Amino acid sequence: MRRGLALLPLGLLVLAVVEITAFVAVVHAIGALWSLLLLGAGSIAGLALLRREGIKGWRAFRAATESGRPPGPQVSNSLIGLLGALLLAVPGFVSAVAGLLLIVPPGRLLARRGVERATERRVSSTVAGDLFGPRHVRVRQSAPVDDPAPDPAAAPTTAAVTPGPVVEGDVVEGEIVR
């Protein structure tokens, strides 16, 4: 984590250079006045979306907790929407494009899945189950091993297990204890 914080100033410097380069390219393409108007419109739209996403996220979170559902999907969806609106509100064409990608449904879905996977890796399975609900897993049934009563004097052998068909069904939550 500290390594990421150490690289933050360098990342912000690179982002500033990329934003200035993009702005100069857009000024050369459409003119200075239109570029400034486009930046202003994007920032105003981002601020309006920031307010809307915040209110919508809070309502979805409250509805999930009041109905007894896990609030994790609503929280992660709202965080992605807020991040997209914030990037759109920040003046700059590159950040605006990134914000728009996080606001449109396909981009939001991909980012939300990434946030959920990252959260599940960092917290215990009990907390992840409380946040996001039961996990959906696929269980492959192994082929039966035809091994008659083994001879105790014989050396132990290992049987190769081949994956069988996928078994769909209810998920039993638990932890693997070694």
Side-chain angles (χ1 to χ4, degrees):
M1 183 69 172
R2 293 187 189 274
R3 185 176 181 189
L5 290 176
L7 295 176
L8 184 64
L10 180 64
L12 290 174
L13 180 66
V14 169
L15 178 65
V17 169
V18 169
E19 288 286 4
I20 291 169
T21 305
F23 181 75
V24 169
V26 172
V27 165
H28 284 299
I30 64 173
L33 180 63
W34 288 107
S35 298
L36 289 174
L37 286 174
L38 195 59
L39 276 180
S43 293
I44 291 171
L47 291 173
L49 278 173
L50 196 60
R51 181 172 186 259
R52 190 193 91 187
E53 288 293 328
I55 291 171
K56 188 171 104 176
W58 178 250
R59 287 181 182 157
F61 172 75
R62 286 189 56 206
T65 54
E66 287 173 0
S67 67
R69 291 179 289 137
Q74 284 79 17
V75 170
S76 59
N77 195 27
S78 298
L79 286 176
I80 297 301
L82 284 170
L83 179 63
L86 184 65
L87 285 173
L88 192 59
V90 172
F93 291 113
V94 175
S95 61
V97 169
L100 284 173
L101 288 175
L102 291 177
I103 289 174
V104 296
R108 183 180 286 205
L109 179 66
L110 287 174
R112 189 188 71 182
R113 286 182 182 164
V115 166
E116 288 177 2
R117 271 190 245 120
T119 303
E120 288 171 351
R121 275 185 265 145
R122 286 181 172 72
V123 298
S124 70
S125 61
T126 306
V127 173
D130 290 344
L131 280 176
F132 302 114
R135 306 288 63 156
H136 300 285
V137 297
R138 289 186 176 177
V139 178
R140 296 191 185 273
Q141 195 172 28
S142 64
V145 178
D146 295 330
D147 191 17
D151 181 21
T157 60
T158 58
V161 178
T162 58
V166 175
V167 178
E168 299 284 339
D170 293 338
V171 176
V172 178
E173 289 205 39
E175 291 188 42
I176 298 175
V177 179
R178 294 181 188 208

